[in-house]
Amino acid sequence: MNAERLLMHYEKIAEAPDAIARLRRFILDLAVHGKLVPQDANDEPASELLKRIAKEKARLVKAGEIRTPKAIPALSGPPFQIPTNWRWSQLAEIGLLSPRNEAPDALEASFVPMPLIAADYGVANQHEIRPWGEIKKGYTHFAEGDVGLAKITPCFENGKSAVFRDLTGRIGAGTTELHIVRPLFVDQDYILLFLKSPHFIETGIPKMTGTAGQKRVPTEYFALSPFPLPPLAEQHRIVAKVDELMGLCDRLEAAQAGREAVRDRLTAASLARLNESDLETFQADARFALGVLPAVTTRPDQIKALRRTILNLAVRGRLVPQDTKDEPASKLLKRIAMEKTGSNKPRLFPTADTLSKSDGFDPHLMLPIGWVWACLGEITHVGTGLTPSKVQPSYYDGGNIPWINSSATSADVIREAKFFVTPFAVKECRLKIYPAGSLVVALYGQGKTRGQVAELGLDATVNQACAVVQWLPSFHEMKGFVRLTLEQQYDAIRERAEGGPQPNLNVGKIKERLFPLPPLAEQRRIVARVDALMALCDRLEASLTAAAAVRRHLLDALLAEALAPGEDRELEAAE
């Protein structure tokens, strides 16, 4: 059986993205294709089962228990091959659609809203207990053993469906977004696994009708889709095998979670060892961490943690050794003050006592030799922009000056603009055009990790959701260190934002931000080391991506092979 090759190679593909979730879906597809358990010639054929179902429907009609069913249109063609003793049918043929319940109003019954219906196979529905009189009108009816399918997006796509069991009073009602079938002589769990199978869901998605966010599966698709019907005895064997394999998936998932937990602990310990090292032990600790991490790292989020650690070490002065020959940062600040203000008067530097942990610093943190605390506004020009009125066409029509908003900080370098304003708008609104090389910091809005700070790759103006850090002409070399410092401290900076759903971090708070400033020569060494380590992270991330792609391709190939018609089993498009 082709499926056996998948299990033989499972260890090679287990780390593929969503491998276990895909294996679960694959099991359901094997089940409805007739490839999960062998056929038994002694089983009553599905054709005879259909005759018994038709006879039972005729009895119910004669007894007045149901109305005469509508004629069921013939199937246009089978979607795939099935074993010879199976038959293609439809839910409308093998069950009763949208049944109604009759019961006293005082009877306690089950109420099932959509949140209590599970998407995963094998997870039972939950219910609330209510008097039948409260729920009999305005809701979908069902009874013990009925099968329900969520018909609205995204519940259908997610696989929400259930066999209703353990119902109080053996009847229930629930969300109106359900299709219901009451099976006749067909295993309810086999119907359920069909409804959750990728084949049924993927085929049904294009057939949904309605507007975006309110699309629904038509009754015709639910009732009249080709349904692969095995003999009843084989249905029971299929359900038992699916339960067995889903249990195996549970164990594989638990084992994978255990492996990931061990890797997370090893990664966290390695990074903690780096964070706690001093300059005397850093080299040895770095060699240890870089030797261990490639072996235990399997997910991109672990690489992100390594990147954060590198930035943390960089701004604490632990990434490169200090050199007493470097010009101290205190003198650097005096030179900056001379260029910025024309005065070289000494300034009163902030001390550790003036800092607080709310600023993202340890008040007792000792700076490395030659470093000082500095405000961003002291060493750069920090500005912002605004949004010209949208009702003034002269501000935008024919505009050729790039206008940047905070969403652009999702890029490392902003090389193009989506919006433009006119020179008239710049003049009338007093917009500042910032030169390429300036840093843009998102004051509020959405961005990404290591993406809330971006470099302007073009001359541009900005809106009020951005702060722009502009360099003094003689000190543009500080850009690299200041940028990595802003990236390392961005989360702490954002904690000072104020407001509602979109907290605003104003420019003043950016200007006042204190951070440890090293000598200019050491800044160059730090930036060079960070660039080298980030390149190592890039290579590690690329190797993870490549390995994941190989596993994904192998998994795709094995799934395709397992679902292909096999030479070891006689299949046909049964009528």
Side-chain angles (χ1 to χ4, degrees):
M1 179 178 181
N2 290 337
E4 293 171 357
R5 279 173 50 78
L6 177 73
L7 299 178
M8 287 172 57
H9 291 279
Y10 184 77
E11 290 301 323
K12 295 181 181 179
I13 61 174
E15 302 296 344
D18 299 325
I20 296 175
R22 296 183 67 188
L23 183 57
R24 291 182 190 276
R25 295 193 293 270
F26 163 73
I27 290 167
L28 297 177
D29 257 345
L30 282 181
V32 300
H33 278 71
K35 296 187 174 186
L36 200 59
V37 300
Q39 279 70 55
D40 188 335
N42 296 319
D43 289 343
E44 174 194 62
S47 56
E48 294 300 316
L49 175 59
L50 287 173
K51 292 178 182 178
R52 290 199 292 122
I53 293 172
K55 186 176 181 180
E56 175 63 10
K57 279 192 175 182
R59 186 193 69 79
L60 293 173
V61 170
K62 185 175 181 180
E65 296 183 30
I66 64 171
R67 295 180 180 178
T68 302
K70 294 181 180 179
I72 299 174
L75 293 172
S76 58
F80 51 79
Q81 291 179 309
I82 57 176
T84 55
N85 59 346
W86 291 34
R87 285 294 179 268
W88 284 106
S89 181
Q90 296 154 298
L91 292 182
E93 182 180 17
I94 56 93
L96 308 178
L97 301 177
S98 304
R100 301 291 295 177
N101 299 324
E102 295 294 336
D105 287 355
L107 177 72
E108 286 192 334
S110 291
F111 180 72
V112 183
M114 188 66 77
L116 298 187
I117 299 175
D120 296 331
Y121 180 85
V123 179
N125 65 278
Q126 304 297 312
H127 67 270
E128 303 166 2
I129 299 176
R130 297 189 188 179
W132 178 245
E134 291 183 7
I135 59 176
K136 69 178 183 179
K137 293 183 179 180
Y139 296 106
T140 302
H141 286 201
F142 44 81
E144 187 77 12
D146 289 354
V147 184
L149 172 75
K151 61 185 177 182
I152 193 167
T153 190
C155 300
F156 171 71
E157 297 95 316
N158 293 339
K160 281 205 168 196
S161 49
V163 175
F164 294 106
R165 290 196 172 100
D166 298 324
L167 299 178
T168 300
R170 298 186 64 80
I171 63 170
T175 169
T176 58
E177 302 294 350
L178 287 175
H179 290 307
I180 301 294
V181 61
R182 180 168 295 167
L184 298 174
F185 307 134
V186 176
D187 191 314
Q188 301 101 318
D189 290 302
Y190 176 76
I191 294 177
L192 180 65
L193 65 86
F194 170 75
L195 297 180
K196 290 184 181 291
S197 69
H199 162 75
F200 180 76
I201 293 174
E202 291 168 8
T203 305
I205 290 173
K207 300 182 184 298
M208 298 178 78
T209 60
T211 58
Q214 291 292 319
K215 288 192 172 184
R216 292 175 173 85
V217 176
T219 301
E220 291 75 16
Y221 180 75
F222 174 73
L224 304 177
S225 290
F227 177 78
L229 181 69
L232 183 58
E234 187 173 344
Q235 293 176 37
H236 298 326
R237 295 197 300 272
I238 290 172
V239 170
K241 182 56 114 177
V242 168
D243 290 343
E244 175 190 340
L245 292 176
M246 290 299 181
L248 172 62
C249 287
D250 290 341
R251 295 192 294 275
L252 291 171
E253 200 164 43
Q256 187 182 61
R259 291 194 301 271
E260 288 302 310
V262 170
R263 289 181 179 128
D264 286 343
R265 288 196 295 271
L266 288 172
T267 300
S270 300
L271 297 180
R273 181 170 174 175
L274 269 180
N275 274 317
E276 294 168 3
S277 63
D278 53 33
L279 284 175
E280 293 180 359
T281 63
F282 176 75
Q283 295 300 327
D285 291 339
R287 283 193 296 272
F288 171 80
L290 296 177
V292 168
L293 288 173
V296 300
T297 301
T298 59
R299 305 191 316 272
D301 64 292
Q302 293 168 324
I303 304 295
K304 290 179 182 179
L306 177 56
R307 293 185 191 275
R308 288 194 297 268
T309 298
I310 291 168
L311 294 178
N312 186 44
L313 292 168
V315 302
R316 292 165 63 192
R318 295 189 178 184
L319 209 55
V320 299
Q322 280 71 53
D323 189 338
T324 56
K325 297 177 183 178
D326 292 340
E327 175 195 61
S330 57
K331 291 186 177 181
L332 172 63
L333 280 175
K334 289 182 180 179
R335 292 195 294 113
I336 293 172
M338 174 61 75
E339 180 165 329
K340 189 172 184 181
T341 66
S343 170
N344 62 356
K345 292 175 62 177
R347 60 182 285 272
L348 180 62
F349 300 126
T351 66
D353 293 336
T354 67
L355 306 175
S356 69
K357 286 186 177 179
S358 64
D359 292 324
F361 301 112
D362 182 344
H364 304 292
L365 177 65
M366 295 296 294
L367 291 178
I369 296 172
W371 292 41
V372 295
W373 291 106
C375 292
L376 186 61
E378 288 182 288
I379 60 175
T380 65
H381 294 296
V382 183
T384 186
L386 56 78
T387 301
S389 172
K390 299 289 186 179
V391 300
Q392 292 289 342
S394 59
Y395 288 167
Y396 295 95
D397 290 352
N400 60 353
I401 299 173
W403 179 79
I404 304 298
N405 59 25
S406 61
S407 65
T409 59
S410 60
D412 291 326
V413 180
I414 303 171
R415 301 190 185 279
E416 58 183 22
K418 294 181 179 179
F419 309 100
F420 296 86
V421 295
T422 62
F424 178 72
V426 171
K427 180 179 179 181
E428 286 293 305
C429 301
R430 297 182 181 180
L431 294 174
K432 181 175 177 58
I433 299 177
Y434 295 98
S438 303
L439 294 181
V440 180
V441 183
L443 295 177
Y444 53 91
Q446 301 301 314
K448 68 175 184 179
T449 303
R450 288 201 90 231
Q452 298 280 19
V453 181
E455 180 180 343
L456 275 179
L458 71 173
D459 295 349
T461 186
V462 302
N463 75 349
Q464 67 277 10
C466 300
V468 182
V469 179
Q470 187 179 349
W471 312 103
L472 279 70
S474 300
F475 298 96
H476 66 277
E477 282 186 286
M478 294 198 307
K479 176 174 63 178
F481 182 80
V482 171
R483 176 171 183 169
L484 65 87
T485 303
L486 284 170
E487 290 173 344
Q488 188 270 340
Q489 296 185 8
Y490 188 81
D491 289 342
I493 294 173
R494 281 294 294 267
E495 289 178 0
R496 302 183 66 191
E498 299 174 351
Q502 289 271 31
N504 184 6
L505 184 67
N506 61 47
V507 173
K509 291 178 180 177
I510 296 287
K511 288 181 179 180
E512 297 166 1
R513 182 64 185 177
L514 285 164
F515 61 86
L517 183 71
L520 188 57
E522 188 173 346
Q523 291 182 36
R524 299 188 194 103
R525 297 195 298 274
I526 291 171
V527 171
R529 178 62 64 85
V530 169
D531 287 345
L533 292 174
M534 290 300 180
L536 175 63
C537 289
D538 291 341
R539 292 195 295 274
L540 186 54
E541 203 163 30
S543 69
L544 288 178
T545 302
V550 170
R551 296 187 187 102
R552 187 182 295 110
H553 292 326
L554 178 58
L555 180 58
D556 289 342
L558 290 170
L559 291 179
E561 180 184 7
L563 284 174
E567 298 178 358
D568 57 337
R569 179 173 301 177
E570 182 182 3
L571 299 170
E572 70 170 13
E575 298 178 353

